[in-house]
Each structure stands twice: as structure tokens, then as C-alpha cells.
């Protein structure tokens, strides 16, 4: 069965600093991988996704993520964080059928001035 | 265009009552998903529809939970004899096709069982 682990419950970074949010998954085959963001009072929005091909994926809002099969990881990165990035971030994995998506518990990002 | 809508946005009910939560997906989206998000936790997969068929109901927590979908349109999640542990935000999402496509989420229904 597929599963997702986000080791960090919350992270605090200074505005302008770089960010890396960790995600590890468990799945027997090549998964579909996603990062979603949930801002306060707003619904979930897709940041980026990986299906195949280039292991470095670019997303919206300046985010990127790298798929590392050997480490079963799909970490999210951003070179310079803005205060508006404060939100909850969810990593998710879908099976090769593509429909059953399992979400991690989320990492809440706090941005300090 | 219109996104995924859910109603009601908030529902407070007494323990033991039945509730119905509604989801209107984006027009043309064949796949529809229901999730539950307890306070401070991640999303818990409940059920998935392809058209009006539900190939995977494995996430439904108990037989008190059921869901149906009319064609490729509205879906209703019903919780019978609600319990306090059912309190959560229930999120609906739809996607154009089911195979790993981006899911578009609704704003959720916050259910509180007293």
C-alpha cells in the first residue's frame, strides 16, 4: 500500500531564506507525486506534479521539487521565501491507476520577517 | 469558470442525526473524490467516482458512510447516525480524468457533531 511521510510538522524560515520541505513515499512502482498548498481560508491548490521524465519539476509560485527514486523522496524547494508562502503544504502520492491519492500529514510553514 | 462547490459550508448536528454533504464538480470532470480532514491532520481518502461508478470505496470509515453520484455531476456524501469523531472538514475534489490528473478542490464542509 502506498504511504507518504512528511517528517516536519512545522518549519519556520525567515523571509528571503531558502526552503526545503521533505517528503518520503512508499510505493512499489513508479508513483505519481504531487505537492499541494493550503493557504488559510483557501482551498488546496496544486503546486506541481511528477509523473515521469525529468526528475526536477518546476511548479507555480517559484517552487520546484526533485524526485529521487533511490531515496524515495520528493522534496519541495524554493530559493527565496516570501511572507505570502506561509501556509500548509501537503505531499501526495497516487497509484499507477492514478486515482487513489494518499496525502501526507502536512508541513505548516511559518515565515518570519 | 466555476470551480468545485460544496454545500453547506458549515454544518452543526447532534450526535445520532444523519447529514448529507453535497459536492458540485467542475463541469466535464469525470472523476470526483471525497476526503476527510480532521483538525491539524492531513487528508484522508474516502471514496472515488469515475462517472457515477465508485471503483474504490475502501476509504469509507464505516457502513454509516455512503456516497452517490448522479452521472458526471453532483455527488452526495451521507453520514448516518453521526458520532463526535465524524467532526471534520469534508473536502471534495474533481479532475478531468482519473489517471493522476490535477485535482481541483472545493472549499470543504466543516461538520461539527455535538
Amino acid at each position: 500500500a502506498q504511504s507518504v511521510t512528511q517528517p516536519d510538522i512545522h518549519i519556520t524560515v525567515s523571509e528571503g531564506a531558502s526552503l526545503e520541505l521533505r517528503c518520503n513515499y512508499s510505493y512499489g512502482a513508479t508513483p505519481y507525486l504531487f505537492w499541494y498548498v493550503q493557504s488559510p481560508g483557501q482551498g488546496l491548490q496544486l503546486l506541481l506534479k511528477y509523473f515521469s521524465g525529468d526528475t526536477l519539476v518546476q511548479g507555480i509560485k517559484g517552487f520546484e521539487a526533485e524526485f529521487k527514486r533511490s531515496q524515495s523522496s520528493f522534496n519541495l524547494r524554493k530559493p527565496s521565501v516570501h511572507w505570502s508562502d506561509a501556509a500548509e503544504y501537503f505531499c501526495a502520492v497516487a497509484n499507477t491507476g492514478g486515482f487513489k491519492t494518499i496525502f501526507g500529514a502536512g508541513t505548516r510553514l511559518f515565515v518570519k520577517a | 469558470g466555476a470551480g468545485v462547490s460544496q454545500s453547506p459550508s458549515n454544518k452543526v448536528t447532534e450526535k445520532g442525526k444523519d447529514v448529507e454533504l453535497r459536492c458540485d464538480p467542475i463541469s466535464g470532470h469525470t472523476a470526483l473524490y471525497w476526503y476527510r480532514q480532521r483538525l491539524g491532520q492531513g487528508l484522508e481518502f474516502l471514496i472515488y467516482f469515475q462517472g457515477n461508478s465508485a471503483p474504490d470505496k475502501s476509504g469509507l470509515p464505516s457502513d454509516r458512510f455512503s456516497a452517490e453520484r448522479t452521472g458526471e455531476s453532483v455527488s452526495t456524501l451521507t453520514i448516518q447516525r453521526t458520532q463526535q469523531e465524524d467532526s471534520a472538514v469534508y473536502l471534495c475534489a474533481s479532475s478531468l480524468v482519473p489517471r493522476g490528473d490535477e485535482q481541483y478542490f472545493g472549499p470543504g464542509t466543516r461538520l461539527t457533531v455535538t
Side-chain angles (χ1 to χ4, degrees):
Chain A
Q2 68 229 63
S3 66
V4 179
T5 301
Q6 293 181 246
D8 304 303
I9 296 173
H10 54 80
I11 282 181
T12 301
V13 300
S14 298
E15 190 169 17
S18 64
L19 171 71
E20 182 169 29
L21 301 183
R22 296 184 290 165
C23 172
N24 292 96
Y25 69 90
S26 174
Y27 185 62
T30 300
Y32 295 159
L33 294 162
F34 307 83
W35 275 99
Y36 285 84
V37 60
Q38 187 175 37
S39 298
Q42 299 186 27
L44 281 105
Q45 180 183 24
L46 180 72
L47 285 176
L48 47 77
K49 61 186 178 183
Y50 171 80
F51 292 166
S52 64
D54 192 348
T55 56
L56 185 62
V57 180
Q58 301 297 320
I60 62 171
K61 304 184 180 186
F63 285 92
E64 67 177 26
E66 186 171 11
F67 170 59
K68 293 186 177 179
R69 184 189 302 276
S70 62
Q71 298 177 21
S72 297
S73 69
F74 189 58
N75 294 348
L76 182 72
R77 301 194 294 250
K78 186 169 184 178
S80 177
V81 168
H82 187 263
W83 64 267
S84 61
D85 293 324
E88 184 125 30
Y89 291 81
F90 293 96
C91 180
V93 58
N95 60 7
T96 49
F99 59 83
K100 184 169 182 176
T101 305
I102 302 298
F103 284 75
T107 296
R108 181 165 294 280
L109 173 65
F110 297 94
V111 180
K112 60 182 181 182
Chain B
V4 177
S5 62
Q6 292 185 245
S7 61
S9 56
N10 279 285
K11 177 71 177 179
V12 180
T13 190
E14 292 180 353
K15 177 182 173 181
K17 300 281 190 183
D18 297 352
V19 295
E20 281 190 356
L21 312 180
R22 177 187 169 106
C23 172
D24 283 88
I26 293 173
S27 177
H29 280 196
T30 63
L32 186 146
Y33 312 78
W34 282 99
Y35 297 90
R36 178 169 69 179
Q37 186 176 26
R38 289 196 167 111
L39 186 64
Q41 298 186 23
L43 278 71
E44 178 185 356
F45 172 84
L46 296 179
I47 189 169
Y48 145 81
F49 285 93
Q50 172 57 32
N52 62 3
S53 171
D56 190 337
K57 303 179 183 179
S58 63
L60 293 177
S62 74
D63 59 7
R64 296 186 296 105
F65 287 72
S66 63
E68 61 180 27
R69 187 181 185 193
T70 306
E72 293 187 352
S73 182
V74 173
S75 175
T76 303
L77 177 69
T78 301
I79 309 173
Q80 296 178 309
R81 305 180 302 282
T82 53
Q83 303 294 312
Q84 288 188 330
E85 63 262 28
D86 299 333
S87 296
V89 175
Y90 289 82
L91 291 164
C92 174
S94 69
S95 66
L96 189 58
V97 293
R99 289 182 64 85
D101 196 26
E102 173 181 357
Q103 294 181 31
Y104 293 83
F105 283 82
T109 293
R110 181 176 298 279
L111 175 65
T112 303
V113 182
T114 61

